[in-house]
Amino acid sequence: MTLPLQEEEPNSTLPNIPERSLRSLLTDEDLDGLIAFFDLLSASESLRAVTQLSAKERDHLITILPSEIAAELVEEAPNEVAVDLVERLEADKAAEIMDTLGSDLQADVIGEMDQEEAEAILAEMTSEHAQDVRRLAAYDDDTAGGLMIAEVFTFRQSDSISQVLLQLASEEEEDERLRGQHPYVIDEDNKPIGVVSLRSLITSRRSASLSSIMVPAVTVLVSTPLDDLVDLFDKHSFLGLPVVEADGSLAGVVSRSAVEEALHERSEMQSLKRQGIVGDELRSMPLLLRSRRRLSWLSANIVLNIIAASVISAYEETLAAVIAIAIFLPMVSDMSGCSGNQAVGVSMRELTLGLVTSRDVFRVWLKEASIGIVNGIVLGLLIGMVAWIWKGNAYLGLVIGLALAINTVIAVSIGGIVPILLKRFGQDPAVASGPLLTTVTDMAGFFLVLSLAAFFMPQLLGA
Amino acid sequence: MTLPLQEEEPNSTLPNIPERSLRSLLTDEDLDGLIAFFDLLSASESLRAVTQLSAKERDHLITILPSEIAAELVEEAPNEVAVDLVERLEADKAAEIMDTLGSDLQADVIGEMDQEEAEAILAEMTSEHAQDVRRLAAYDDDTAGGLMIAEVFTFRQSDSISQVLLQLASEEEEDERLRGQHPYVIDEDNKPIGVVSLRSLITSRRSASLSSIMVPAVTVLVSTPLDDLVDLFDKHSFLGLPVVEADGSLAGVVSRSAVEEALHERSEMQSLKRQGIVGDELRSMPLLLRSRRRLSWLSANIVLNIIAASVISAYEETLAAVIAIAIFLPMVSDMSGCSGNQAVGVSMRELTLGLVTSRDVFRVWLKEASIGIVNGIVLGLLIGMVAWIWKGNAYLGLVIGLALAINTVIAVSIGGIVPILLKRFGQDPAVASGPLLTTVTDMAGFFLVLSLAAFFMPQLLGA
């Protein structure tokens, strides 16, 4: 191992290898060239190059690549892409690649496949691995069971320290996955009864038995949800926690980094869901699948838009009389929609940080309403003056400004509390908050502008 | 340590302690009660309780709490809240709390304070800590220098294995922070020349010198950006990497978990920035600060909205002739805005995953345009039929449907490539993509509907 990064400019990137060269290496079936190609690139660069191949080329590539390199690509890929890389391969080749992955990733990939493909691959995998995968794939994604790995570093009470040290020092590939785990002590029923600290391992006599130095282990149930795991790892400095079944038997170990990664992924998914991107869309997926997924959200949006637009429809006479109002209708609904979305964003963040709960609805509403009054007055004055100057009609300015001011208060109030209420009633606030908010702010905005215009009609026409 | 979580129901929460009780404990200055209160709550629950106190109560609480408990609150808090907890304290109390934090957190908190307050606190801190903080606070947040801790587990070549083991087994508070680090070997110029694996530490003679078992260390520069660190930790299984100054001397260690946390934070910030929430807004901050921050984004939005609305203004005659058009104007611009935002979301995700770079603009455009054509046709047909049936005018349906179809293609094309282009030109795609996209889709939507309406005017009026 040399010191590559110290010698380079911090921003220097790897040699810029065009995708064409991967394609030509593949056409020539130049295996050494392909190995050298992936050796040069970082994991994410490698994956990027592979996702730009056609599905057929990708299958060909994975089939001829050595399993370890293929496994590295699968490891780097988001789950959906990982499945795509493996599922069309012959079952034995797929099983060969799967066998080299960690049990958590095996379960994630197998869990996303069709039943039939999954069974074909499991049949070809090492029976021990296949058994672990079946077990792990049954747990929910965002629980300790779904996040743990099945490989655990276990010993008996009667084992000695030197036995642990011997296995710590082992060069076996399988043992690699145990790195960073503490040695756990289990009883004859496979129940974890203790954990051994590195410190006591190093400072005690090598012939001492583990029972003399172990301390009781903190364990979590397979059903423990992600949020509780985050709290636990926040509170303690453990690198991993043993996970137990309902009967207390050891099922696996959930690591701090698996929990952090799941948290990161969830927050990314939430931000995408708010735009109606559900289920890890990547551009390497088939067009019609992506199109259908996006449409399912957009077409629900049409209905909401029609409901909001029906408010305008009810006031066609007012509009016909003062056509200038039409210019400001979208502006009022859009501006207050933005204000409301800011409140949604802050609530989502505070929910994630655990700073608000459903008990705080009133407090949040009070805070948001105050900000809505301040910002509503400022924005209402600004846009009211624009309308006045633009159309030379003070009453038009009054109508538009007043409507925006009131609608801003409505929008931030709803934006602030809707995510909290949705969460209380077991709905996903990331998906539903946005469309709900937009519909209400559009309807209220149109209604306020048009009914104020109807009220001030004589002045609007007289000026 | 007992087995608390194994005994409880997985979803059982901690005893529901009302905030009033914290307030009354505080009024009574019941120190034992306060300590018991925070002992019962998880870190995030504690923080939530504290953020609901008034600023004055908060200062009082932090002043009377033992420094270790206060430090736990500061550690759990987002940076902005951490500063708020510390900055109004007497300098000596603040310094006492700061001294118990890790150097990375010390630097983050001090870095956010006013110069004057920071200096007052630094003057009261242990001089060694103060020196580290001054050094760390100078680095950019999202670089190895900004993410590293200054506490490093260093040895000389001539040191023996037993000296390392002795320090590993030390119970000193300061040494706690070194847990999970590998022992690094430095030369007389403080340059890292090697790293010692746990395996060789355990399996070699205790009298052996480190020079006989160390391997060369992979190092990163203080200026190495977060993205490169993510790649490195992806590629290797290191728990930490030594960070060096430009001259090669050891500056600190950046840990895998610090990098993962920074990545998580960045993706959350990006999702908030897209709604114009800049700078970690929390509802515990002062109203006018929050209001000003939100307004700064909203008022830029007014200008963009006026530009878009001026398109409507240019077609007032067309609108006056066919007033029903006004109903569909916001619908067309809103629907295509949503489609465009989906494309922005996918591009942001692919940028984060490293699956697209600025070289892929054309490929991304092609992929998005295809989805735009499919979805444009579907949505255009849907909304065209709605318009036709609603207003009984087939030409109205044609105008609205055609406008939405074309505008959907425009919106997804722009939404897909704008984040990539912004990133290429060194702008933050999270902040600018949304407003840019909305303005263009609004303008194009209004223009398409109104100019198509002007073109089909005879048919629209004749039907």
Side-chain angles (χ1 to χ4, degrees):
Chain A
M1 206 182 295
T2 53
L3 311 176
L5 281 147
Q6 195 175 359
E7 309 292 314
E8 290 171 5
E9 286 296 310
N11 271 319
S12 80
T13 48
L14 293 153
N16 194 330
I17 300 174
E19 288 80 48
R20 204 171 309 107
S21 105
L22 173 58
R23 199 158 274 153
S24 68
L25 287 167
L26 185 59
T27 318
D28 302 347
E29 300 219 350
D30 177 354
L31 200 56
D32 290 339
L34 285 170
I35 294 172
F37 177 90
F38 287 113
D39 219 37
L40 261 175
L41 294 181
S42 72
S44 69
E45 280 280 337
S46 302
L47 184 65
R48 177 173 161 266
V50 172
T51 51
Q52 298 194 345
L53 297 174
S54 72
K56 214 174 147 191
E57 288 169 328
R58 225 149 49 205
D59 292 347
H60 183 201
L61 175 71
I62 302 290
T63 310
I64 64 173
L65 272 185
S67 301
E68 310 85 63
I69 298 185
E72 272 168 31
L73 287 169
V74 173
E75 228 164 342
E76 171 71 13
N79 279 352
E80 316 256 321
V81 179
V83 172
D84 185 58
L85 289 176
V86 175
E87 68 184 349
R88 281 184 313 273
L89 297 181
E90 296 293 323
D92 58 340
K93 177 73 186 181
E96 203 181 303
I97 294 171
M98 295 297 293
D99 264 331
T100 67
L101 300 174
S103 60
D104 50 342
L105 197 56
Q106 287 173 347
D108 287 347
V109 174
I110 292 283
E112 301 250 346
M113 284 185 185
D114 294 339
Q115 184 77 23
E116 206 175 317
E117 283 161 358
E119 285 302 331
I121 295 176
L122 284 168
E124 297 284 331
M125 283 172 64
T126 320
S127 71
E128 191 187 335
H129 286 171
Q131 204 182 331
D132 281 346
V133 170
R134 282 179 213 276
R135 191 159 59 83
L136 292 185
Y139 300 115
D140 282 341
D141 275 354
D142 276 358
T143 64
L147 297 170
M148 71 186 181
I149 59 168
E151 298 89 348
V152 193
F153 199 29
T154 53
F155 296 90
R156 294 310 179 107
Q157 286 195 63
S158 53
D159 286 341
S160 71
I161 290 181
S162 47
Q163 279 169 296
V164 178
L165 292 180
L166 216 66
Q167 198 167 341
L168 258 183
S170 131
E171 301 279 350
E172 291 254 347
E173 173 78 18
E174 286 282 306
D175 289 337
E176 271 296 309
R177 303 202 195 289
L178 306 176
R179 276 181 45 166
Q181 278 190 27
H182 284 277
Y184 298 107
V185 181
I186 51 172
D187 66 12
E188 54 282 357
D189 296 330
N190 194 32
K191 292 186 181 167
I193 49 177
V195 58
V196 178
S197 78
L198 206 54
R199 185 173 298 165
S200 55
L201 210 55
I202 287 170
T203 51
S204 311
R205 270 181 315 105
R206 294 202 173 172
S207 59
S209 75
L210 296 184
S211 63
S212 66
I213 58 166
M214 70 184 191
V215 294
V218 173
T219 62
V220 291
L221 279 169
V222 284
S223 56
T224 307
L226 178 58
D227 285 317
D228 289 4
L229 293 172
V230 171
D231 272 355
L232 263 176
F233 278 112
D234 255 11
K235 203 164 182 174
H236 304 288
S237 63
F238 308 132
L239 289 173
L241 280 171
V243 182
V244 295
E245 301 282 359
D247 67 1
S249 67
L250 186 63
V253 168
V254 59
S255 72
R256 175 181 290 271
S257 65
V259 168
E260 274 165 0
E261 205 174 290
L263 190 66
H264 177 208
E265 206 157 285
R266 191 177 63 177
S267 94
E268 263 203 351
M269 283 303 114
Q270 282 185 339
S271 117
L272 286 172
K273 274 184 186 167
R274 284 157 77 174
Q275 277 109 40
I277 301 284
V278 185
D280 303 31
E281 177 179 331
L282 291 171
R283 294 210 172 86
S284 49
M285 295 175 187
L287 171 65
L288 288 179
L289 173 69
R290 296 167 57 218
S291 166
R292 201 177 58 233
R293 284 187 178 176
R294 291 197 193 178
L295 274 175
S296 64
W297 188 79
L298 290 171
S299 30
N301 232 345
I302 286 195
V303 178
L304 298 176
N305 260 296
I306 292 172
I307 297 172
S310 62
V311 176
I312 306 182
S313 182
Y315 284 90
E316 272 183 69
E317 277 173 44
T318 311
L319 257 181
V322 197
I323 196 71
I325 291 280
I327 301 172
F328 296 97
L329 270 185
M331 216 190 274
V332 168
S333 64
D334 178 71
M335 289 295 302
S336 38
C338 287
S339 293
N341 264 319
Q342 292 185 324
V344 171
V346 176
S347 279
M348 293 294 299
R349 175 147 189 264
E350 294 198 334
L351 279 172
T352 310
L353 288 171
L355 292 179
V356 301
T357 69
S358 56
R359 279 172 281 151
D360 300 320
V361 170
F362 182 72
R363 191 178 65 92
V364 165
W365 174 75
L366 214 66
K367 292 254 176 190
E368 283 301 328
S370 342
I371 218 171
I373 291 169
V374 176
N375 287 7
I377 291 172
V378 175
L379 295 173
L381 279 173
L382 273 173
I383 216 167
M385 300 224 296
V386 167
W388 181 4
I389 293 165
W390 195 352
K391 293 286 155 187
N393 185 332
Y395 283 99
L396 184 68
L398 176 69
V399 165
I400 303 296
L402 196 56
L404 180 59
I406 300 172
N407 208 31
T408 300
V409 180
I410 295 174
V412 293
S413 302
I414 292 175
I417 63 180
V418 152
I420 302 170
L421 291 178
L422 282 171
K423 183 153 187 186
R424 180 197 266 174
F425 296 113
Q427 302 297 311
D428 184 344
V431 178
S433 301
L436 247 169
L437 174 80
T438 312
T439 311
V440 177
T441 53
D442 278 5
M443 286 180 71
F446 297 155
F447 172 79
L448 283 164
V449 172
L450 293 165
S451 54
L452 284 169
F455 185 80
F456 286 106
M457 188 66 84
Q459 292 84 346
L460 282 169
L461 295 175
Chain B
M1 207 180 296
T2 52
L3 312 177
L5 281 147
Q6 196 176 355
E7 309 294 314
E8 290 170 5
E9 285 296 309
N11 270 319
S12 81
T13 48
L14 292 153
N16 195 331
I17 302 174
E19 287 81 48
R20 203 170 310 105
S21 106
L22 173 57
R23 199 158 273 153
S24 69
L25 287 167
L26 185 58
T27 318
D28 301 347
E29 299 218 352
D30 177 354
L31 201 54
D32 290 339
L34 284 170
I35 292 173
F37 177 89
F38 287 113
D39 219 36
L40 261 176
L41 294 182
S42 73
S44 70
E45 280 280 336
S46 303
L47 185 64
R48 178 172 161 265
V50 172
T51 51
Q52 300 193 343
L53 297 173
S54 72
K56 214 174 147 189
E57 289 168 328
R58 224 148 50 204
D59 292 347
H60 182 203
L61 174 71
I62 301 289
T63 310
I64 64 173
L65 272 185
S67 302
E68 311 83 65
I69 297 184
E72 272 166 31
L73 287 168
V74 173
E75 229 164 340
E76 170 71 13
N79 279 352
E80 314 257 321
V81 180
V83 172
D84 186 58
L85 289 175
V86 175
E87 69 183 350
R88 282 183 312 274
L89 299 180
E90 296 293 321
D92 58 340
K93 177 73 185 180
E96 204 180 302
I97 294 170
M98 294 296 293
D99 264 331
T100 66
L101 301 174
S103 60
D104 49 343
L105 198 55
Q106 288 173 347
D108 287 347
V109 174
I110 293 281
E112 301 248 348
M113 285 185 184
D114 294 338
Q115 183 77 23
E116 208 175 313
E117 284 162 356
E119 284 303 329
I121 295 176
L122 284 168
E124 298 284 332
M125 283 171 65
T126 321
S127 73
E128 191 187 337
H129 286 172
Q131 203 180 332
D132 280 346
V133 170
R134 281 179 213 276
R135 191 159 56 83
L136 291 184
Y139 299 113
D140 282 342
D141 277 353
D142 275 358
T143 63
L147 298 169
M148 71 187 183
I149 60 167
E151 298 89 349
V152 193
F153 200 29
T154 54
F155 296 89
R156 294 310 179 108
Q157 287 196 60
S158 53
D159 287 341
S160 71
I161 291 180
S162 48
Q163 280 170 294
V164 178
L165 293 179
L166 216 66
Q167 200 168 341
L168 258 183
S170 131
E171 301 278 352
E172 292 254 347
E173 173 78 19
E174 285 283 306
D175 289 335
E176 271 296 309
R177 302 201 196 290
L178 304 178
R179 274 182 44 166
Q181 278 190 28
H182 285 277
Y184 298 108
V185 181
I186 52 172
D187 66 12
E188 53 283 356
D189 296 331
N190 194 32
K191 293 185 182 168
I193 49 176
V195 58
V196 178
S197 77
L198 207 56
R199 186 173 296 165
S200 54
L201 210 56
I202 287 171
T203 51
S204 311
R205 271 183 312 108
R206 294 201 171 174
S207 60
S209 75
L210 296 184
S211 62
S212 66
I213 58 166
M214 70 184 190
V215 294
V218 173
T219 62
V220 292
L221 278 168
V222 284
S223 57
T224 307
L226 178 58
D227 286 315
D228 291 2
L229 293 172
V230 171
D231 273 354
L232 262 175
F233 278 111
D234 255 11
K235 204 164 180 171
H236 304 289
S237 61
F238 308 132
L239 289 174
L241 280 172
V243 182
V244 295
E245 301 282 359
D247 68 1
S249 67
L250 186 63
V253 168
V254 59
S255 71
R256 175 180 291 271
S257 64
V259 168
E260 274 164 359
E261 206 173 289
L263 190 66
H264 177 207
E265 206 157 286
R266 190 177 65 176
S267 94
E268 262 203 352
M269 284 302 114
Q270 283 186 339
S271 118
L272 286 172
K273 274 184 185 168
R274 283 157 76 174
Q275 279 109 41
I277 302 283
V278 185
D280 305 30
E281 177 178 332
L282 291 170
R283 295 212 171 84
S284 50
M285 296 176 188
L287 171 65
L288 288 180
L289 174 68
R290 296 166 57 219
S291 163
R292 202 177 55 233
R293 284 187 178 173
R294 292 196 190 178
L295 274 176
S296 64
W297 189 79
L298 290 170
S299 31
N301 233 348
I302 287 195
V303 177
L304 297 176
N305 260 296
I306 291 171
I307 296 172
S310 63
V311 176
I312 307 182
S313 181
Y315 285 88
E316 271 182 69
E317 276 173 45
T318 311
L319 258 180
V322 195
I323 198 72
I325 292 280
I327 301 172
F328 296 97
L329 269 184
M331 216 191 275
V332 168
S333 65
D334 178 72
M335 289 294 303
S336 37
C338 288
S339 294
N341 265 319
Q342 293 185 322
V344 171
V346 176
S347 279
M348 293 294 299
R349 174 145 188 264
E350 294 198 333
L351 278 173
T352 310
L353 290 172
L355 292 179
V356 302
T357 69
S358 57
R359 280 173 281 149
D360 300 320
V361 169
F362 182 70
R363 190 177 66 90
V364 166
W365 175 75
L366 214 65
K367 292 255 178 190
E368 283 302 329
S370 340
I371 218 172
I373 290 169
V374 176
N375 287 8
I377 291 172
V378 175
L379 296 172
L381 279 173
L382 273 172
I383 215 168
M385 301 222 299
V386 168
W388 181 4
I389 294 165
W390 194 353
K391 293 287 155 185
N393 185 330
Y395 284 99
L396 184 69
L398 176 69
V399 165
I400 303 296
L402 195 56
L404 180 59
I406 300 173
N407 208 31
T408 300
V409 179
I410 295 174
V412 293
S413 302
I414 292 175
I417 63 180
V418 152
I420 303 171
L421 291 179
L422 283 171
K423 183 152 188 189
R424 180 197 267 175
F425 295 114
Q427 302 298 310
D428 185 344
V431 177
S433 301
L436 246 170
L437 174 80
T438 313
T439 311
V440 176
T441 53
D442 279 5
M443 286 180 71
F446 298 155
F447 173 78
L448 283 165
V449 172
L450 293 165
S451 54
L452 284 170
F455 184 79
F456 287 105
M457 188 64 85
Q459 291 84 347
L460 283 168
L461 295 176

